[in-house]
Amino acid sequence: MNVLLCSINTLLKGLYNISGVEVGQHFYWQIGGFQVHAQVLITSWVVIAILLGSAIIAVRNPQTIPTDSQNFFEYVLEFIRDVSKTQIGEEYGPWVSFIGTLFLFIFVSNWSGALLPWKIIQLPHGELAAPTNDINTTVALALLTSVAYFYAGLTKKGLGYFGKYIQPTPILLPINILEDFTKPLSLSFRLFGNILADELVVVVLVSLVPLVVPIPVMLLGLFTSGIQALIFATLAAAYIGESMEGHH
């Protein structure tokens, strides 16, 4: 009996250690005079490898009568096309790859943070976690969206695109400019805040109650992680569509 209790305590202690979150600590690499967060690069490379591997499997041997795996990939593509078309309109075609890349990278990143046992791998400083758990990643994704937003508007309307800033009256010029700067900020903090909050809730529950209670919360976290990816991709598509239409 004592052996069984000791084994259970050891298991629970190990699970508790795995679920811990280290805040404010990072493992740094020096690349070309720049200091980067190595753990974010490592996990991002893993996510990219998963996506590339999935893409290779999807296009390796397409069938006229789709197999189960081909049906799944075609469903994902159709879903991304629907999101792009709904938000951007009839000119959605060139933007499907961009919106799809955002959605899939965020989705796989969030799920990798919840499903893969990153914390088993020990680093000199910090810990491995989902790439979207780092504010730098979410800011980079938001800035990419901002660049795409301006590129879409300038490509469609040329320099006349900037005329929207003085519509319907030049008095609103500062507010219209501020709105464009707050869009990437909003995207970044919305994604980062929700992912970090979900991890912190699980850590607090594991420390306060038996492990069986946080498990449903962790499953709910998988669902909300997918929703966050969808929200980010949908808003990015909406911003691009808005810039091409030329009105707010």
Side-chain angles (χ1 to χ4, degrees):
M1 186 66 179
N2 290 333
V3 174
L4 178 61
L5 290 176
C6 290
S7 300
I8 293 175
N9 288 333
T10 302
L11 175 61
L12 292 177
K13 184 177 179 181
L15 291 172
Y16 174 78
N17 291 334
I18 291 176
S19 67
V21 173
E22 296 184 33
V23 179
Q25 299 186 29
H26 298 286
F27 178 42
Y28 293 105
W29 281 346
Q30 293 292 138
I31 301 178
F34 295 95
Q35 194 175 61
V36 298
H37 292 178
Q39 72 269 25
V40 177
L41 288 180
I42 294 171
T43 52
S44 295
W45 291 338
V46 172
V47 170
I48 292 171
I50 292 173
L51 292 175
L52 287 177
S54 300
I56 292 171
I57 293 174
V59 302
R60 183 179 56 181
N61 188 25
Q63 303 291 327
T64 304
I65 301 177
T67 60
D68 291 339
S69 60
Q70 186 175 335
N71 273 326
F72 172 75
F73 289 118
E74 289 181 359
Y75 172 78
V76 172
L77 176 59
E78 191 64 28
F79 175 77
I80 294 170
R81 290 180 63 187
D82 286 342
V83 171
S84 302
K85 185 175 182 179
T86 301
Q87 300 300 325
I88 298 177
E90 293 302 324
E91 301 180 18
Y92 73 97
W95 295 101
V96 172
S97 58
F98 178 74
I99 301 301
T101 300
L102 286 178
F103 172 75
L104 292 175
F105 180 81
I106 296 171
F107 184 89
V108 176
S109 293
N110 293 349
W111 273 48
S112 70
L115 296 177
L116 299 181
W118 293 114
K119 297 175 180 64
I120 292 179
I121 304 174
Q122 298 295 320
L123 297 177
H125 302 284
E127 63 183 12
L128 295 176
T132 46
N133 198 29
D134 190 290
I135 186 67
N136 298 288
T137 304
T138 60
V139 167
L141 294 172
L143 289 177
L144 280 175
T145 302
S146 187
V147 170
Y149 171 87
F150 284 107
Y151 173 79
L154 290 171
T155 302
K156 182 73 180 292
K157 297 180 173 295
L159 294 178
Y161 165 77
F162 294 106
K164 71 167 192 170
Y165 290 110
I166 56 175
Q167 294 177 357
T169 171
I171 297 176
L172 296 178
L173 175 63
I175 296 177
N176 289 334
I177 293 176
L178 183 62
E179 180 186 2
D180 274 352
F181 278 100
T182 56
K183 283 177 180 177
L185 188 67
S186 172
L187 281 174
S188 174
F189 279 99
R190 180 185 288 112
L191 178 60
F192 173 73
N194 281 281
I195 299 304
L196 183 61
D198 180 64
E199 290 200 7
L200 291 176
V201 167
V202 172
V203 170
V204 171
L205 286 177
V206 168
S207 63
L208 294 178
V209 297
L211 185 65
V212 69
V213 176
I215 287 178
V217 179
M218 296 170 71
L219 295 177
L220 179 63
L222 291 176
F223 174 74
T224 57
S225 295
I227 294 298
Q228 287 303 316
L230 176 60
I231 290 174
F232 194 103
T234 301
L235 288 177
Y239 292 160
I240 291 172
E242 178 184 283
S243 69
M244 296 174 69
E245 291 174 2
H247 61 79
H248 293 274

